[in-house]
Amino acid sequence: MSTEASRMRADARQNRDRIVEVARELFAGRGLDVPMAAIARRAGVGMATLYRRFPTKESLVTEVFSDQFAECVSILDDALADPDPWHGLCTGIERICAMHAVDRGFTAAFVSAFPQSFDIDGERARADSALTELIDRAKRAGQLRADFALDDVTLVLMANSGIIAGTPEASLAASRRLVAYLLSAFRADNAHPLPPPAPLNLFDVLPKRR
């Protein structure tokens, strides 16, 4: 390979890495509604270069959040492997909320349907199944209040998504405290009668698109 060709390949790789880095930063702070033009401008590349690397916004989102998708699945697997049902449930919820607190784009990516680039329905079904098993295990162990429902996990995510802080560190600290308060209320030994669970799903976590 010629020196010129090697340089062009290196430049192309640098452009691609820069686009992904900028998109990750903008999605984390502003969600998925960031225009592709804004990403190209911040990355210092033309629109043609951006679309040559990522033909659709969905393909860029998938690249940006591929590690987070894998980590989310790993979190739930770790929680299910925990021999203590209550500890497994709590650490699973805590870690997922921590991811969400510092990255506004990730939850939006996880619940958005991108059929061409990611099997989101399969991942969501797997998450629901794992959470249902975590909940059932904690109830059978007498640790989780009997009226806790899967919809309540979405309620936790909705509350967590309302955190607005000046820095990622402050958002994470606020998330940890909020989740600690909520988990304390979920314990069976703290149970008091509650209204019926709200019929929620993961799509309710997202702001309504205009």
Side-chain angles (χ1 to χ4, degrees):
M1 181 182 299
S2 68
T3 301
E4 180 66 17
S6 296
R7 185 187 64 78
M8 291 179 63
R9 286 175 64 90
D11 288 347
R13 182 65 189 182
Q14 288 175 358
N15 284 339
R16 187 180 190 281
D17 291 345
R18 179 60 180 159
I19 291 168
V20 171
E21 177 186 350
V22 166
R24 182 178 293 116
E25 176 185 342
L26 292 178
F27 289 154
R30 295 161 52 183
L32 300 187
D33 289 334
V34 178
M36 292 288 271
I39 295 170
R41 186 166 54 251
R42 178 77 69 87
V45 302
M47 291 296 291
T49 297
L50 188 152
Y51 280 113
R52 186 160 56 247
R53 304 289 172 243
F54 300 99
T56 66
K57 190 172 188 179
E58 289 84 353
S59 64
L60 177 58
V61 168
T62 299
E63 177 67 21
V64 168
F65 291 111
S66 60
D67 289 343
Q68 286 94 326
F69 282 130
E71 184 178 352
C72 189
V73 171
S74 178
I75 285 172
L76 294 175
D77 288 342
D78 288 346
L80 286 171
D82 194 318
D84 183 329
W86 175 251
H87 185 262
L89 176 66
C90 289
T91 55
I93 292 175
E94 288 166 352
R95 291 174 64 188
I96 289 174
C97 284
M99 289 177 64
H100 183 205
V102 298
D103 195 332
R104 289 177 178 269
F106 175 64
T107 296
F110 191 79
V111 302
S112 295
F114 293 151
Q116 295 181 348
S117 56
F118 191 74
D119 182 16
I120 195 66
D121 289 332
E123 292 299 317
R124 184 164 52 243
R126 183 175 175 185
D128 283 351
S129 177
L131 286 167
T132 297
E133 185 174 347
L134 287 168
I135 290 167
D136 290 344
R137 287 198 320 163
K139 285 183 179 180
R140 289 195 300 269
Q143 299 166 309
L144 178 65
R145 57 185 304 144
D147 57 356
F148 188 90
L150 180 61
D151 293 330
D152 292 324
V153 177
T154 300
L155 194 61
V156 172
L157 289 174
M158 293 177 73
N160 193 63
S161 69
I163 294 173
I164 300 175
T167 65
E169 293 77 14
S171 294
L172 185 57
S175 172
R176 286 171 174 163
R177 189 162 179 86
L178 171 66
V179 174
Y181 273 128
L182 295 174
L183 290 174
S184 177
F186 297 158
R187 292 189 63 92
D189 52 11
N190 288 338
H192 299 285
L194 293 175
L200 303 173
N201 60 65
L202 288 175
F203 284 99
D204 294 315
V205 178
L206 290 177
K208 297 295 185 292
R209 293 186 180 271
R210 294 186 293 272

